[in-house]
């Protein structure tokens, strides 16, 4: 039986101001925090994925605790991240972003029927809300 990768479990973004970033992800995008520490946050994304936020530079030395060791990592953006939403809710999401002063920078209508809107988080990462019909797998 061949080895297979089942899915992406977690994705990390690096932010310059954790209180500002956590406010955006918790308030604007309504992601529930599973872990909220000074150096990182872990958000539940749809009960299937985890979005990690790390303060830029804080993970460059790695992290050791009783359970083991996490090697050094860091990044500089802007990164791109797409969130799945239903087609029926896309207009409501757009209204919510507008209510919070978040500018919609771009739109796409995909050949498979999906639609996307693009906007930025406070650190300049490009975020996308996308409906089914983008990829063969979504």
């Amino acid at each position: 039986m061949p080895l297979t990768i089942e899915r992406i479990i977690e994705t990390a973004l690096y932010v310059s101001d954790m209180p500002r970033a956590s406010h955006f992800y918790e308030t604007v995008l309504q992601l529930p925090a599973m872990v909220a520490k000074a150096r990182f946050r872990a958000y539940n994304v749809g009960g299937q994925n985890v979005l990690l936020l790390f303060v830029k530079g804080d993970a460059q030395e790695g992290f050791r605790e009783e359970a083991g060791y996490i090697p050094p990592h860091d990044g500089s953006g802007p990164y791109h991240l797409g969130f799945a939403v239903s087609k029926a809710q896309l207009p409501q999401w757009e209204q919510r972003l507008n209510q919070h002063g978040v500018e919609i920078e771009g739109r796409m209508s995909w050949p498979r029927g999906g639609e996307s809107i693009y906007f930025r988080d406070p650190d300049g990462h490009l975020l996308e809300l996308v409906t089914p019909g983008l990829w063969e797998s979504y």
Side-chain angles (χ1 to χ4, degrees):
M1 179 176 206
L3 295 174
T4 60
I5 301 287
E6 295 177 14
R7 65 183 184 177
I8 294 174
I9 297 296
E10 54 188 34
T11 299
L13 293 177
Y14 300 88
V15 302
S16 60
D17 183 322
M18 186 60 77
R20 179 185 70 182
S22 62
H23 175 78
F24 178 84
Y25 284 92
E26 292 168 25
T27 303
V28 178
L29 297 186
Q30 299 180 309
L31 293 177
M34 297 184 298
V35 176
K37 296 188 176 185
R39 66 181 273 281
F40 83 99
R41 297 287 193 281
Y43 292 101
N44 181 335
V45 181
Q48 297 180 8
N49 305 98
V50 176
L51 173 62
L52 300 173
L53 300 182
F54 289 92
V55 175
K56 287 180 184 176
D58 280 4
Q60 288 182 347
E61 296 181 19
F63 184 71
R64 186 171 302 283
E65 59 179 47
E66 273 186 46
Y69 176 71
I70 300 171
H73 56 91
D74 200 25
S76 60
Y79 289 111
H80 169 71
L81 193 63
F83 294 100
V85 300
S86 73
K87 194 165 199 146
Q89 286 192 351
L90 189 61
Q92 294 167 302
W93 274 109
E94 186 170 355
Q95 183 179 16
R96 179 172 189 76
L97 293 171
N98 286 332
Q99 288 171 344
H100 286 274
V102 178
E103 177 187 355
I104 306 296
E105 290 187 23
R107 299 173 189 281
M108 284 294 295
S109 293
W110 300 103
R112 294 179 184 271
E115 295 180 37
S116 296
I117 57 174
Y118 297 90
F119 56 98
R120 304 258 174 200
D121 79 356
D123 285 274
H125 298 298
L126 181 63
L127 304 180
E128 175 184 11
L129 296 180
V130 60
T131 68
L134 170 61
W135 299 109
E136 183 178 300
S137 60
Y138 177 72

